[in-house]
Amino acid sequence: MQGFLNVCKPKGMTSHDVVAVLRRIIKIKQIGHTGTLDPFAEGVLPVCIGKATRLIEYLADDKAYIATLQFGKTTDTYDIEGQFVSQSDKKVSKYDVENVLKHYEGEIEQFPPIYSALKVNGKKLYEYAREGKEVEIKSRKVVIEQIDLLSFDDELQQAEIYVKCSKGTYIRSLGFDIGNDLGCGAYLSKLIRVQAGDFKLEDAIKLDVLSSYDIVEKNIIYPIDKIALPKILINDIEIKRVSNGLQIYPRAGIAGMVGLVYSGNLVGVALATEQEIKVKKFIG
């Protein structure tokens, strides 16, 4: 079995927990996911099975989320599971929130949360935090393609926002920064990933439904349907060559990264030039 699964990660589990559950069900060790989701978050988690794990880097990596911000308090983790560290009596309005959100569209710089799995000097940030050690965290550039206010509850001081962003964006940091800009503080009380590349929440399968090998197999998505590269067809002779890491003859007008298709299946990814087509990843 090899291919992708569009899994809906439940709240309370880590992304690694989801992979562990699937390993027990289908008895395949070679399983990976395309992007970590915090335990308190839920939603789309693309999972790669078998040799399809070699294709992770060729999947689209933009993300989209629906996040609920609670204004008036901050936590050390920037989410609902952390310890409260500050509180404010300041009230904000729908207009205030909409006005601030406009400033976050485009390329921005943000600092990852100290409670995150990002590594500094080979050690995860949350490990430093748990040990009470200070560490220099550098800002990073990310892109917010779209950010919209979906709803605002004046009484509860909560806002639900939609964020479409680049890989590596921390929505917890985004919520924290928005709260800072409003002068009242904020943390995420809920986070749902609604899209990861071409994988969407409305098509995701709940983990508890994937209870047997047969059910998992029925929900496998073939790589040819998700790898957004130009495709070229290869013949019987060429499949033997690329399976041994050998180059094949180029195609006129084809250059750059391409998907290799044999008998209707994506069997690999290659780099095409005017001189040759050289396989980079072969999955057979």
Side-chain angles (χ1 to χ4, degrees):
M1 183 193 301
Q2 66 180 26
F4 308 125
L5 276 179
N6 185 4
V7 179
C8 182
K9 186 193 87 67
K11 185 177 180 179
M13 293 183 72
T14 68
S15 302
H16 294 301
D17 290 337
V18 172
V19 168
V21 168
L22 290 170
R23 281 196 182 116
R24 288 196 296 270
I25 293 170
I26 63 177
K27 311 300 182 186
I28 294 176
K29 283 188 176 182
Q30 197 175 12
I31 303 179
H33 59 78
T34 69
T36 301
L37 265 180
D38 294 324
F40 92 101
E42 57 190 293
V44 174
L45 181 69
V47 174
C48 305
I49 297 176
K51 291 182 180 179
T53 54
R54 305 187 69 195
L55 301 177
I56 288 177
E57 64 185 285
Y58 301 106
L59 290 168
D61 57 12
D62 57 312
K63 307 289 194 298
Y65 300 86
I66 292 177
T68 303
L69 278 62
Q70 176 62 60
F71 298 111
K73 292 181 179 179
T74 64
T75 71
D76 55 0
T77 59
Y78 300 174
D79 63 47
I80 195 171
E81 295 191 338
Q83 300 295 316
F84 290 114
V85 295
S86 71
Q87 185 169 342
S88 172
D89 293 328
K90 180 180 179 180
K91 302 294 184 182
V92 297
S93 67
K94 180 180 179 181
Y95 171 80
D96 294 330
V97 177
E98 287 177 329
N99 190 49
V100 165
L101 293 185
K102 294 176 184 176
H103 301 301
Y104 284 89
E105 284 195 342
E107 185 178 79
I108 65 170
E109 288 204 16
Q110 66 170 200
F111 289 92
I114 183 62
Y115 281 92
S116 67
L118 184 68
K119 288 186 177 181
V120 174
N121 298 324
K123 191 173 182 178
K124 294 177 181 177
L125 284 179
Y126 68 74
E127 294 175 329
Y128 288 106
R130 289 172 180 172
E131 294 170 3
K133 295 180 179 178
E134 292 188 3
V135 60
E136 181 184 1
I137 303 176
K138 296 182 179 179
S139 65
R140 55 201 294 177
K141 291 182 179 181
V142 297
V143 176
I144 306 297
E145 183 179 328
Q146 181 181 350
I147 181 166
D148 297 315
L149 179 63
L150 300 179
S151 65
F152 180 76
D153 190 310
D154 186 72
E155 183 178 352
L156 295 177
Q157 287 288 284
Q158 287 183 350
E160 187 177 64
I161 64 173
Y162 170 83
V163 182
K164 187 172 176 59
C165 55
S166 63
K167 176 184 178 181
T169 304
Y170 282 94
I171 307 301
R172 284 183 291 144
S173 291
L174 182 64
F176 178 82
D177 291 341
I178 290 169
N180 266 351
D181 284 351
L182 289 167
C184 61
Y187 66 87
L188 294 194
S189 61
K190 188 174 182 179
L191 182 63
I192 303 172
R193 185 155 69 193
V194 295
Q195 183 180 341
D198 293 328
F199 298 86
K200 298 182 179 180
L201 184 61
E202 56 263 34
D203 303 318
I205 309 297
K206 290 185 177 180
L207 184 62
D208 58 6
V209 172
L210 300 168
S211 57
S212 70
Y213 185 99
D214 289 342
I215 294 175
V216 171
E217 190 172 42
K218 286 179 182 178
N219 285 284
I220 283 289
I221 302 167
Y222 296 109
I224 195 170
D225 297 321
K226 290 296 180 182
I227 301 298
L229 292 173
K231 310 293 194 304
I232 63 170
L233 302 178
I234 60 175
N235 58 35
D236 292 344
I237 294 175
E238 290 174 320
I239 185 68
K240 291 179 180 178
R241 289 186 62 84
V242 297
S243 67
N244 289 307
L246 301 176
Q247 76 275 12
I248 57 177
Y249 289 114
R251 295 331 193 241
I254 300 294
M257 299 304 298
V258 296
L260 304 177
V261 177
Y262 177 73
S263 294
N265 295 313
L266 186 79
V267 296
V269 172
L271 177 62
T273 66
E274 292 182 357
Q275 291 75 38
E276 64 179 13
I277 296 176
K278 181 70 174 178
V279 67
K280 294 296 183 181
K281 297 287 177 69
F282 183 76
I283 64 171

